[in-house]
Amino acid sequence: MDIASIVDDIAAEMKAAPHRGRVADYIPPLACVPIDRFGMAVIMADGTCHLGGDAEEPFSIQSISKVFSLTLALGAVGDALWQRVGREPSGSAFNSIIQLETEHGIPRNPFINAGAIVVADVLLGGNEPGSAIAGILRFVRTLAGDETISIDESVAEAEHRTGFRNFALASYMRSFGNLLHPVDQTLRVYFHQCALSMSCVQLALAGRYLMAEGRNPATGLSVVSPQRARRINALMMLCGHYDNSGEFAFRTGLPGKSGVGGGILAVAPGVASIAVWSPGLNEKGNSQLGALALERLAARTGWSVFQPAGPSTSSG
Ligand code: GLU
């Protein structure tokens, strides 16, 4: 199978695609990202790297950061995390507050905003926000093997200035006792992780441990146990695209986590770590062309957690 030309073809198709969705406009640094961008990076288990389009242009990874913060929080407190955050798809929008009332301040999963805010609270662990933020940045740099990855302070500041819903979610959970630190401190961590700026290549490199049973294939070092890597993948598959998660799983058959900056990190376990980016979003807030590109990649390679090897045999 010629992955390089599959990636080239998809990148060319996406560059020319007429329906690109709408760029997020809730903060100026996202609103001004050109809608014509498309990037794709596929890193194979043997380290081979295939790039297409704007694969080396950094963008705001936003909620994709929730995968890395979850990984860190599980490392810090282990399965005790699941007393404070659930593991069920929400079927609701990323910033919904509705379920929190009936479910007593316990968010459905770590990939909706409320869940990621609890995860950020765990990462604070009684320290200053700055040290938790530095820990997240250090972790992502180590995963990607790239010290140039940075946090865009203008994005973090704009998130803080406009994040009224996130303040509401955090305050509400604090009223249930599910936030241990002051709301402002926890959200400082959350807003900064969302403001991580990474390219598709950096993101796909950072996601390698999820395709490789928890190990960084470049260093051979264990990031998480094989079981934990599988479980993070399971959560990505079921909850990675908010109330669009079923649709994404149906179309791609791969675990994936989207961000409102238009990125998606997807994993073909044992085969490849994949990142795509196109800033135009569909009506559910997920990258329109990113999902389409992954659907085409899965169809042309046969990669799917439901079909571990071999080419695709049916289109139904
Ligand atoms: N920073 C965004 C928020 O909390 C993240 C949303 C997303 O990427 O889906 O509103």
Side-chain angles (χ1 to χ4, degrees), residues 243-257:
D243 49 342
N244 213 207
S245 298
E247 177 72 15
F248 181 82
F250 182 85
R251 288 170 60 188
T252 67
L254 299 173
K257 180 74 202 85

Side-chain angles (χ1 to χ4, degrees), residues 26-27 30 60-66 94-95 111-114 116-117 155 159 162-163 165-166 169 187 190-191 193-195 240 242 257-263 281 284-286:
Y26 69 98
I27 49 171
L30 291 186
S60 189
I61 75 163
Q62 292 289 331
S63 284
I64 303 171
S65 65
K66 293 170 182 170
F94 69 102
N95 57 6
F111 293 153
I112 52 173
N113 282 17
I117 291 167
V155 172
E159 296 278 348
T162 60
R165 288 253 194 150
N166 288 321
L169 290 168
L187 286 180
Y190 174 71
F191 292 139
Q193 73 175 62
C194 286
Y242 310 118
K257 180 74 202 85
S258 73
V260 79
L281 308 177
K284 303 283 191 183
N286 300 304

